[in-house]
Amino acid sequence: MDLAGLDIVVIALVVLVILILFAGIKTIPQGYQYTVERFGRYTRTLEPGLNLIIPFIDRIGAKMNVMEQVLDIPTQEVITRDNASVSADGVAFYQILNAAQAAYQVAHLENAILNLTMTNIRSVMGSMDLDELLSNRDVINDKLLRVVDEAANPWGIKITRVEIKDIAPPKDLVDSMGRQMKAEREKRAQVLEAEGARNAQILRAEGAKQSAILEAEGQREAAFRDAEARERLAEAEAKATKMVSEAIAAGNVQAINYFVAQKYTEAMAAIGKAPNSKIVLMPMEASSLVGSLGGIGAIAREVFGDGGSSQTAGTPRTRQSTPATTTTASTSAFRNPFDTSQGS
């Protein structure tokens, strides 16, 4: 009986040791930290993995989640610096860096972070005008992050991000802002339209100025070239006249016939090329002019020749006294003004 009782005691001791070992072995999951309390006082923090504590003396205090967490900020009314009432909500991200401080420095950590963030949202947004509030969300987020993180630092947490999700002004204020925006855009459109019209007028004036300058330069160049052409034509005419005069002085009767016939031919060609002339009617004065060509040749032969015969010299007088003879001479001269044999 004593041996059986000893066996029972040994078995009981073995079971007790096993239970004590299991009570002292703690497995911590990844992303969590556990605090250890000895007789109710914090002693250390258990990291993820297998850990040992003293059973019945140490116990697990707080189980803290050290992963980054998100906290939704409910909608609240905010009055801006210019007395405009808006509704704003947001979201905050935080992470526990010191499990002991997060567990023992503040009670109800999430509620504390929530109220701290909401209070600072009212403070930051209340110090800004409505227009500044609606257009500078990044500035608001930066201010909130700096203020809230500094306030939560003693709690062993890090505020990683604070974002304003929505800012909703009252409906009547939204309508007023819409009308203001419309008026501003209409004013901007009118200014741009006026500037466009002014620039267009300036460009047209510049174009007209350049066109006038180029036209004046073109007219000046054309007048210069026209004057130069007339000068060269006059020089050529003078040279031709000089050559004809020299030929006549040398006794060449063909020169004056050529000169007069050329001028006559040019005049007739000009008459024939008139755009409104289809039939050319020769007046009596023109026939007399044509007939005088033969007489001019005969006079030239008498002046510059060997004196000529009496019959040749008398021929002009016969033509002047007898109209029939004049008509015959004129007709002969019209047929061939370059034939010098008509007067002999």
Side-chain angles (χ1 to χ4, degrees):
M1 294 295 294
D2 295 335
L3 182 60
L6 182 61
D7 292 338
I8 293 174
V9 171
V10 171
I11 293 173
L13 290 175
V14 171
V15 172
L16 181 60
V17 169
I18 293 174
L19 292 175
I20 292 173
L21 290 175
F22 273 104
I25 297 174
K26 298 297 180 181
T27 302
I28 312 302
Q30 186 66 39
Y32 286 84
Q33 291 182 356
Y34 292 175
T35 61
V36 179
E37 298 176 356
R38 181 172 294 175
F39 302 114
R41 181 179 180 182
Y42 167 77
T43 57
R44 61 193 176 98
T45 301
L46 301 181
E47 298 293 335
L50 185 63
N51 297 269
L52 296 175
I53 63 173
I54 301 174
F56 309 112
I57 297 176
D58 296 338
R59 72 180 184 89
I60 300 299
K63 299 178 180 180
M64 307 302 297
N65 184 353
V66 296
M67 294 181 290
E68 187 173 1
Q69 302 177 65
V70 59
L71 185 63
D72 192 22
I73 309 299
T75 303
Q76 60 178 331
E77 295 291 331
V78 178
I79 298 177
T80 62
R81 186 171 58 186
D82 52 354
N83 297 323
S85 179
V86 297
S87 299
D89 59 355
V91 61
F93 296 85
Y94 70 95
Q95 185 178 13
I96 297 175
L97 302 180
N98 191 319
Q101 289 181 347
Y104 303 111
Q105 293 293 331
V106 62
H108 308 292
L109 178 62
E110 289 190 357
N111 189 36
I113 297 174
L114 179 63
N115 286 276
L116 178 64
T117 306
M118 293 178 65
T119 302
N120 284 279
I121 286 177
R122 287 194 296 268
S123 299
V124 172
M125 297 179 65
S127 63
M128 304 172 67
D129 293 332
L130 179 61
D131 294 338
E132 186 181 2
L133 187 69
L134 296 175
S135 60
N136 294 318
R137 291 198 180 189
D138 293 338
V139 177
I140 299 173
N141 295 334
D142 292 339
K143 288 183 178 181
L144 284 174
L145 178 60
R146 185 174 62 253
V147 173
V148 176
D149 182 58
E150 184 179 355
N153 188 45
W155 300 343
I157 63 174
K158 172 67 177 177
I159 306 298
T160 58
R161 186 184 298 272
V162 178
E163 297 285 345
I164 299 298
K165 291 193 300 184
D166 189 21
I167 299 176
K171 187 177 182 304
D172 56 348
L173 188 59
V174 173
D175 295 339
S176 299
M177 293 171 61
R179 292 192 298 270
Q180 180 183 0
M181 180 186 65
K182 183 178 179 181
E184 184 69 23
R185 292 185 179 274
E186 289 179 353
K187 182 183 74 174
R188 195 180 308 171
Q190 292 176 359
V191 170
L192 292 176
E193 184 178 358
E195 289 181 354
R198 185 190 64 181
N199 293 335
Q201 291 178 358
I202 292 174
L203 291 177
R204 284 195 294 266
E206 289 289 338
K209 175 184 175 182
Q210 293 295 330
S211 176
I213 292 174
L214 293 176
E215 184 178 359
E217 291 180 354
Q219 292 178 356
R220 184 184 64 180
E221 185 68 19
F224 176 77
R225 293 182 179 273
D226 188 30
E228 185 179 1
R230 289 198 304 270
E231 181 181 357
R232 293 187 178 181
L233 182 62
E235 291 178 356
E237 188 73 18
K239 186 175 181 181
T241 304
K242 180 179 179 182
M243 293 176 64
V244 171
S245 299
E246 291 177 352
I248 294 174
N252 189 359
V253 182
Q254 298 293 335
I256 191 171
N257 288 338
Y258 171 77
F259 187 74
V260 175
Q262 182 184 13
K263 294 299 182 180
Y264 175 76
T265 304
E266 292 176 355
M268 294 300 295
I271 295 175
K273 290 180 180 179
N276 55 354
S277 298
K278 301 301 181 181
I279 299 175
V280 179
L281 301 177
M282 298 298 294
M284 293 299 296
E285 291 78 3
S287 300
S288 301
L289 179 61
V290 173
S292 65
L293 294 178
I296 293 172
I299 293 171
R301 282 195 300 271
E302 291 178 0
V303 174
F304 299 103
D306 54 357
S309 60
S310 59
Q311 183 181 355
T312 304
T315 303
R317 289 190 299 270
T318 306
R319 284 195 297 266
Q320 294 174 359
S321 59
T322 307
T325 307
T326 302
T327 305
T328 304
S330 301
T331 305
S332 300
F334 177 76
R335 290 178 181 177
N336 189 1
F338 301 99
D339 190 2
T340 58
S341 62
Q342 293 178 4
S344 56

